[in-house]
Amino acid sequence: MEGESSKRACVKVENDVVGGRWDELNPEILASIFVRIVPAEVMVRTVALVCRSWMEAVAGPYCWAEIDLENWCRKCCIANNFHLIDPLVRKIIRRSRFTFRRLSTYRLGNVGFSFAANCGRCLKILQIPMSEITDQVVEKHAGSLVNLTFLDISYCLNITEKGLKAFGLQCKSLTHLRRNMPPWELPTKFEASHVNDHKALIIAENMSGHQRLDLAFNRLSDNGLDAILTQCKALTHLEIQGCWNVELKGNLEERCEKLVDFRSPWIHEYEDGHAESSDIDSRGDEYDEESIYSESPSSSDLD
């Protein structure tokens, strides 16, 4: 009797309390509850073991319209289980029955990206920072992402001008590009070798319909910025913090300030108090990383 009562949910209807069984809830209703309160790895590894109805809900597509695996993939990296990331992504995409609208992951490889692109006709948001995808794979599969509106390829060092151009030419629905790069040292003087406007010119030429661009710590100069502002008529949000080569000469600053949201190259947040709090946060993150070594997915989780 105790076990049976633990499976009952109480719903108040016109001052009367009516009992209902958790295991008799519609899978879509169960899924709507799970996705709000349960991380992806817990759904796969724990929730599915509770009862048959919960297992069916997690195994079905309702839980996976929005696929957020970034934290789980980061745990894989901390435990040096990089090889599990692509199989994990493929497994969850299959569970969505190819109806997923968002995919957030980390250190995705060519195999995982190819599978996601080919199955991603409904995909609108793709966040794959630090991924190891190459230009050749992007050129081959980007055309499948016909409904993609937001793309985050920050710190993807293997994607060069060729891959960026492929996204611009083939993903016609794209309106928001995040292409932040690792911070580079502030030079004592600006030299020609530090400047690289190729990516900015490609964005200006092939992504003229974009509304948002996040380009922190890129090596563009005033020339690249001018091309973006001139060609991208729909642009409303621009992030170029850490782009030390940009000097905002002439009327560039005035044109940037007309945008809804503009973050200039120069970063003003590095005050003593901020630096101290950052150090504290970093030390806290170290302890958190140590505590999750045992939580990284094993190969059995991917069966």
Side-chain angles (χ1 to χ4, degrees):
M1 292 297 295
E2 181 179 353
E4 182 179 351
S5 62
S6 65
K7 294 182 179 180
R8 300 184 70 84
C10 292
V11 182
K12 189 174 182 180
V13 180
E14 296 181 355
N15 299 323
D16 293 325
V17 175
V18 180
R21 295 177 60 88
W22 281 105
D23 55 1
E24 292 176 354
L25 283 176
N26 183 291
E28 190 170 359
I29 296 176
L30 279 173
S32 67
I33 297 171
F34 294 153
V35 297
R36 285 169 171 78
I37 62 175
V38 183
E41 60 267 36
V42 177
M43 277 200 284
V44 172
R45 302 171 64 183
T46 305
V47 172
L49 303 179
V50 173
C51 63
R52 180 179 295 275
S53 64
W54 286 28
M55 179 183 66
E56 292 174 352
V58 172
Y62 302 116
C63 286
W64 309 110
E66 309 278 336
I67 301 176
D68 185 357
L69 303 175
E70 183 170 349
N71 288 335
W72 198 357
C73 291
R74 286 179 182 269
K75 293 174 185 179
C76 286
C77 296
I78 292 171
N80 292 319
N81 287 327
F82 302 96
H83 63 284
L84 296 178
I85 293 176
D86 281 6
L88 169 63
V89 170
R90 294 200 307 270
K91 173 185 178 179
I92 301 302
I93 288 176
R94 289 192 192 99
R95 289 194 174 189
S96 77
R97 298 179 189 172
F98 315 131
T99 61
F100 63 108
R101 299 185 298 269
R102 173 194 172 197
L103 175 62
S104 298
T105 183
Y106 182 79
R107 293 295 293 266
L108 189 67
N110 282 331
V111 174
F113 175 79
S114 301
F115 189 81
N118 290 330
C119 301
R121 288 286 175 177
C122 300
L123 186 61
K124 292 186 175 182
I125 299 173
L126 180 60
Q127 297 170 283
I128 48 174
M130 281 293 290
S131 292
E132 301 176 359
I133 303 159
T134 61
D135 289 337
Q136 293 78 8
V137 171
V138 171
E139 291 174 322
K140 183 176 181 180
H141 298 286
S144 299
L145 300 171
V146 293
N147 292 309
L148 193 67
T149 60
F150 172 47
L151 174 66
D152 183 356
I153 49 172
S154 298
Y155 322 119
C156 297
L157 303 183
N158 292 331
I159 298 178
T160 68
E161 290 87 349
K162 290 182 178 180
L164 196 60
K165 184 176 182 179
F167 279 122
L169 289 174
Q170 300 184 54
C171 301
K172 295 300 185 180
S173 299
L174 198 60
T175 59
H176 185 176
L177 173 68
R178 181 172 293 162
R179 173 66 175 179
N180 299 325
M181 298 300 285
W184 52 293
E185 183 179 357
L186 176 63
T188 56
K189 63 177 181 178
F190 295 103
E191 301 177 2
S193 60
H194 289 142
V195 176
N196 185 347
D197 281 321
H198 294 158
K199 294 184 178 68
L201 296 176
I202 287 173
I203 290 172
E205 183 178 351
N206 302 286
M207 301 181 179
S208 57
H210 276 38
Q211 299 172 8
R212 294 170 175 254
L213 292 171
D214 299 331
L215 304 173
F217 292 98
N218 278 264
R219 296 178 182 266
L220 76 160
S221 69
D222 280 0
N223 292 332
L225 177 60
D226 177 67
I228 289 174
L229 293 174
T230 301
Q231 297 285 79
C232 300
K233 302 294 186 181
L235 191 65
T236 58
H237 294 68
L238 178 63
E239 154 77 277
I240 55 170
Q241 283 191 340
C243 297
W244 309 128
N245 293 319
V246 174
E247 301 180 72
L248 297 177
K249 291 182 176 180
N251 67 344
L252 281 179
E253 185 171 8
E254 179 183 353
R255 292 163 67 188
C256 289
E257 293 296 341
K258 291 181 179 179
L259 299 173
V260 174
D261 184 26
F262 171 63
R263 299 189 182 183
S264 67
W266 307 108
I267 302 174
H268 305 291
E269 290 85 358
Y270 291 114
E271 301 174 353
D272 291 341
H274 177 80
E276 290 175 2
S277 63
S278 297
D279 293 339
I280 295 173
D281 293 341
S282 298
R283 288 195 295 270
D285 289 343
E286 290 176 5
Y287 290 113
D288 290 341
E289 289 181 0
E290 290 176 2
S291 66
I292 61 177
Y293 265 81
S294 61
E295 297 179 4
S296 60
S298 63
S299 57
S300 61
D301 295 322
L302 304 176
D303 294 337

